[in-house]
Structure formats: structure tokens, C-alpha cells
Amino acid sequence: MQSMHVGVMNGFSYKEWLIEKSNSSFEEANLDERAQVTGFFSCGSDLRRIQLPSSGYTMANKTDKYTGDLRTSEDVESIAATPAIREPPDGGRGWLVIAGCFLGLFSTQGCWATWGIYLNHYNHYVFPNQMTTLSWIGSLWLASAVVTGPFFSYLTWKIGYRWLLFVGIFCCTLSLMLASLATEIWHLYLTQGFLSGLGASLIWFPCITAPQTWFEKRRGFGVGLAISGSGCGGLALVNVAQAVLEKAGYRWSLRALGFISFALLSFTALVVRPLNPPQKPKQIINFAPFRNMQFNLLFVVQIVTNFSFNIPSTFLPAYASYLRLDDWTAAYLSSIISGVMVMGKIGCGFISDRVGRANMAAMVIILSGTLCLALWLNAHTRASVWAFAALWGFFGGGYMAMIPAVLAQIVGLEEIESANGLVFFGWFFGGLFGSPIASSLIDENGPTGPHYDHAIIFGGVLMVFAGLLALVVRIMRGGINPFRKV
């Protein structure tokens, strides 16, 4: 394939030359049918590349013979006005962005990690024996936490990261303060469930997207470091929530989380920015990533995993109470999961940059499901429950870090915002229905007592299945050679 390089010629701008040239056939270039004319043009101080089809194709022609190529002079005008895309610096200001993302996820996901404590407390002391009804609070949080996903690309262009984050601060803080005043379960549906989840959604998507744009060679490590904030937040805030709950009651426990969230998220809103300005989307919801089969499989992975991924963090404290372990053991199980998730997110992210992110993604998801079936199902002592919590935290944390890292490889940075929004929206269905299904399977108030094994098998089988789908993605990208870095 040949190429022709042109610039600004004899005072005749490339843009004018291109529009003029487009009205004649490119047959004169004597190129193959699918050859391309590759041009450079000057746009301010930036040098950008565009590609045009050749052989019998004109700008006036409305036929989209080669998907993604320019067709009209308006397209050329649009390209000329588009700022150059900056390459990820793999550091610099990116580390400040990572710090902001870390604290944003520390706050929002840390508050979510405390849900198991509140669920257990509500079920025993505030709204006794209403586990299934109460589980919908967590389900509403999980569903609301991804509800803005499909609109994320449009929202970032329309109002920008800063205002998204400011609105998120307002929702997260207000929800916890209002939840502390609740007297009915439906009050908690609206506050600790929906409003808190909506605020978390407005924080989550900027905080997982920004690190992907600032890092390339160390993307797995950068994303893992940012997402490890959720594990650190769980480790710290679970203990804060439990301590304040015991000393001052659950209402002041919720208020304490509200004050902490406001402080940490304020820093997040000040420093988290994308590397490049968001581009105007062609539509409010960009479905373009669904043209990619690997993306479709990753979307299904997200749907399947979220029916099962939150079962341990939600029900493990209640399972410990069922085994008649003390309250602090139950609370610390959530802390252990969150704390080890930090090592899982950073460690798996670091290793994945060397062994392949798709390889690591498939491995950690399959192992997470295997742990449920092999270890949790047979965990009846304090030591075995502790062991499961630690191992689940590591591999579950690895799963959370790997999905964004693999996603950037699959779709590229050009569509990363819309792809992030869509792929994490896959959590909506499992988030909304996963916990109630698990609670129904447990059947705590049934005639034969709770059956946690039913929920454990349900979660484990789904995670293994999702891991096999992730393995298909890995094979599509790199073939069947297990030693190839993919």
C-alpha cells in the first residue's frame, strides 16, 4: 500500500486542497482498491493524521464505503477544529489524579462495604427478621451505583467531571444524613439505597475512567492503585462504623460516615480530570462499543458476576452470626475482605502488566468462583471463614481491577468513557436482583432454618461461568497458547 504525504502547499491550505481534491476521482493516484491516501495537516501547533479512502470515492459521495472515513467537507472542517489527542504520560499529574480517584472510591465503596454490618444490625435490632425486605436496600444501592453508566459519555461532555463529582458529593453526604433519621424501611430504600447509590455512581465512573486515560504501559498498576481505594475504604470505614455503632448507635454511625465522605470527596472533585477533553458524542447513549464482540462478552461477564460477586460481602457477617461467632468477628470479616482487596487490586494489576491483563482477568474470576464452592461451602469454623474472607478479598479485588484494564485494551481510549459506562451498567441487573435472590435461597425464617449453602452454590457457579466467558475473550485476543501475554 502506498501513501502520499501533503501539507500546506504554496499558500493553499491542506483543508482547501482536500475539499477540492475530493471532487475528483482518486483513480489518478494509481492505488489499489483499498489503498488509502494518508495526509497530515497543521492545526495550530498540533500535527494530526487523517485517512481517506481512494479509488472511485469522492467527498460528495454519501456512501459509507469504508466505515469511519470522512465523507463531506463538513467532516474535514470538524477534524480541523478538533484538538490533538494527548498520549498518556504514565505519570506526572496522573499520580495526583490517582490520589483523587483513590479517595473517591475510598469513600463511596468504603461506605458500601459497611452495608453488611448495617444489614445484620437492622435485621436483629431495628427491623427484626426481615432479611429479604432489608436486602432490597443494598440492591437499590448497587443498581443506582451504575444507573448513570449509559449516559456517562454524554454527561462528561455536557457538564464535565467537576460538576458530576460535586453533585455526587451532595448525594452521598445527604443520603447518609437522611438515613440516620429513618424510621421505616422504605425511608432507607430512598436514602441509604437509591440516593447513596446515585451519588456513588457519579463518583465511580470518573474515578475509574480517569486513570485509564493517564496511563498506558502501567495502566494495570495505575487502575489497580486507584481502585484499591475501595478496599482501603472498606478496611477503615467498616471499623469506624462498627465502633461508632456500638458506642453511640447506628444513627450516629451513619452520620460519621457522612462527614467523612464530604471531606474526602471534596478533594476528589478538585483534582480528578480526564487527560483529554471529552468529545461531543453523536448521541446521548453511544452504543458503538457493542459492535465489538469482545466487548459484548465482557458485558455479559459483568452481568453474570454481579449476581454473585456481592454475596460474600453482604451475607458473610450474617453467616458468622449463624455460626454463633461474636459480633466483632462478623464485623472484621468485612474488614478482612476489604483490606485484602487492596493487595488483590494492586498486586493483580501489577502482575497483569507483565503476564497479560486478559490472562489475569480470566484466572481471578474462575478462582473466585472456585473458592466459593471449595472453601466457603465447607467453612464451619472461625479459621476457615477467616481464610475464605482473605482469599476472596484477594481474587475478588483482582477481578475489580482487571475489568477496566482489559476494557481499555478492547475498545481503545477513543471510546473508553462510553464503554466504561455501558460495561459497568451490566452490574445493574445483578445489583438489583442478586441479593434478594440470594436472601430467598437462604430462607432465614424457613421451617428448616437458614440454608446459606444454597446461596453459596448459586454464587460460585455463576462466577465460574463468568470466568469461562472471560477466558473466551482471552482466546479471541491471543489464541489458545496459555503462555502468551494477552
Side-chain angles (χ1 to χ4, degrees):
M1 184 174 65
Q2 302 178 41
S3 65
M4 179 168 58
H5 300 278
V6 292
V8 178
M9 307 177 199
N10 302 322
F12 192 49
S13 73
Y14 177 76
K15 191 164 53 181
E16 294 169 335
W17 175 85
L18 181 59
I19 296 170
E20 178 68 23
K21 188 68 177 175
S22 67
N23 293 323
S24 63
S25 172
F26 279 92
E27 292 284 359
E28 298 174 354
N30 192 29
L31 303 176
D32 295 333
E33 174 64 22
R34 289 191 174 272
Q36 295 175 321
V37 174
T38 304
F40 290 92
F41 68 88
S42 179
C43 179
S45 61
D46 298 314
L47 195 64
R48 296 178 56 80
R49 174 187 291 266
I50 65 172
Q51 291 184 325
L52 295 173
S54 63
S55 189
Y57 186 87
T58 68
M59 285 292 189
N61 189 345
K62 299 297 183 181
T63 303
D64 193 7
K65 186 175 180 181
Y66 300 94
T67 302
D69 288 322
L70 303 180
R71 295 184 294 169
T72 66
S73 59
E74 288 80 4
D75 291 320
V76 181
E77 296 284 351
S78 176
I79 290 293
T82 301
I85 301 299
R86 296 169 57 194
E87 293 295 326
D90 274 309
R93 192 184 187 279
W95 294 118
L96 184 62
V97 173
I98 291 290
C101 295
F102 178 93
L103 291 180
L105 299 177
F106 180 102
S107 175
T108 55
Q109 304 302 307
C111 286
W112 162 247
T114 67
W115 168 238
I117 292 175
Y118 290 113
L119 175 62
N120 196 36
H121 183 80
Y122 293 154
N123 188 54
H124 283 90
Y125 305 109
V126 185
F127 306 105
N129 300 318
Q130 298 191 56
M131 174 73 83
T132 300
T133 305
L134 289 166
S135 69
W136 281 98
I137 301 170
S139 293
L140 283 170
W141 189 98
L142 288 168
S144 301
V146 295
V147 73
T148 62
F151 312 99
F152 176 60
S153 180
Y154 177 78
L155 290 172
T156 55
W157 169 77
K158 194 69 175 178
I159 65 176
Y161 274 46
R162 175 168 293 178
W163 282 106
L164 281 177
L165 292 169
F166 279 145
V167 175
I169 294 171
F170 176 78
C171 292
C172 288
T173 305
L174 182 64
S175 64
L176 292 168
M177 297 302 178
L178 292 178
S180 71
L181 304 174
T183 57
E184 301 289 342
I185 293 179
W186 69 268
H187 296 168
L188 295 173
Y189 286 167
L190 296 177
T191 55
Q192 198 171 1
F194 172 74
L195 187 59
S196 179
L198 180 62
S201 180
L202 296 172
I203 303 297
W204 168 263
F205 286 106
C207 287
I208 63 167
T209 303
Q212 293 169 296
T213 65
W214 284 89
F215 292 84
E216 183 175 13
K217 293 180 180 178
R218 293 184 284 185
R219 182 175 292 140
F221 177 69
V223 171
L225 191 60
I227 295 183
S228 69
S230 59
C232 291
L235 180 63
L237 297 185
V238 162
N239 289 286
V240 170
Q242 182 68 27
V244 179
L245 187 151
E246 291 192 349
K247 297 295 184 181
Y250 78 94
R251 296 185 187 278
W252 275 106
S253 180
L254 289 167
R255 291 167 192 154
L257 294 182
F259 289 127
I260 293 171
S261 295
F262 179 79
L264 298 181
L265 293 177
S266 295
F267 178 80
T268 297
L270 293 175
V271 302
V272 173
R273 297 289 179 275
L275 176 64
N276 296 292
Q279 301 298 309
K280 181 179 180 180
K282 296 180 180 179
Q283 49 199 8
I284 294 178
I285 302 178
N286 181 14
F287 293 103
F290 283 112
R291 294 198 294 261
N292 186 323
M293 182 55 66
Q294 294 176 29
F295 174 86
N296 292 337
L297 286 173
L298 203 64
F299 182 75
V300 176
V301 168
Q302 289 289 81
I303 293 176
V304 174
T305 53
N306 215 40
F307 274 93
S308 58
F309 182 73
N310 292 291
I311 291 176
S313 59
T314 300
F315 294 102
L316 201 56
Y319 181 71
S321 296
Y322 164 70
L323 295 178
R324 301 188 183 281
L325 304 180
D326 59 85
D327 290 342
W328 270 106
T329 297
Y332 271 121
L333 287 172
S334 297
S335 297
I336 286 295
I337 290 177
S338 299
V340 180
M341 272 190 175
V342 176
M343 294 185 286
K345 291 167 184 174
I346 298 175
C348 291
F350 180 80
I351 296 171
S352 72
D353 289 335
R354 287 150 179 78
V355 303
R357 294 156 195 153
N359 292 334
M360 183 62 72
M363 183 183 72
V364 295
I365 298 174
I366 291 174
L367 287 176
S368 295
T370 303
L371 282 171
C372 290
L373 300 174
L375 184 54
W376 190 13
L377 192 60
N378 299 296
H380 305 297
T381 64
R382 188 191 308 270
S384 58
V385 172
W386 280 108
F388 169 75
L391 290 171
W392 172 264
F394 184 85
F395 292 109
Y399 154 69
M400 291 189 68
M402 285 302 97
I403 293 299
V406 172
L407 180 64
Q409 292 184 191
I410 290 176
V411 302
L413 295 182
E414 295 80 6
E415 293 185 344
I416 193 63
E417 288 171 342
S418 58
N420 265 326
L422 291 170
V423 80
F424 282 102
F425 182 73
W427 278 357
F428 178 88
F429 310 100
L432 187 60
F433 301 112
S435 292
I437 290 173
S439 181
S440 298
L441 291 171
I442 293 170
D443 193 18
E444 185 180 59
N445 299 318
T448 58
H451 295 281
Y452 283 93
D453 56 330
H454 295 175
I456 294 169
I457 294 172
F458 169 75
V461 169
L462 287 182
M463 285 297 288
V464 171
F465 175 68
L468 294 176
L469 291 179
L471 183 61
V472 173
V473 174
R474 183 257 175 244
I475 293 173
M476 291 176 67
R477 294 190 61 79
I480 61 174
N481 183 357
F483 301 105
R484 182 176 180 181
K485 179 181 177 181
V486 181

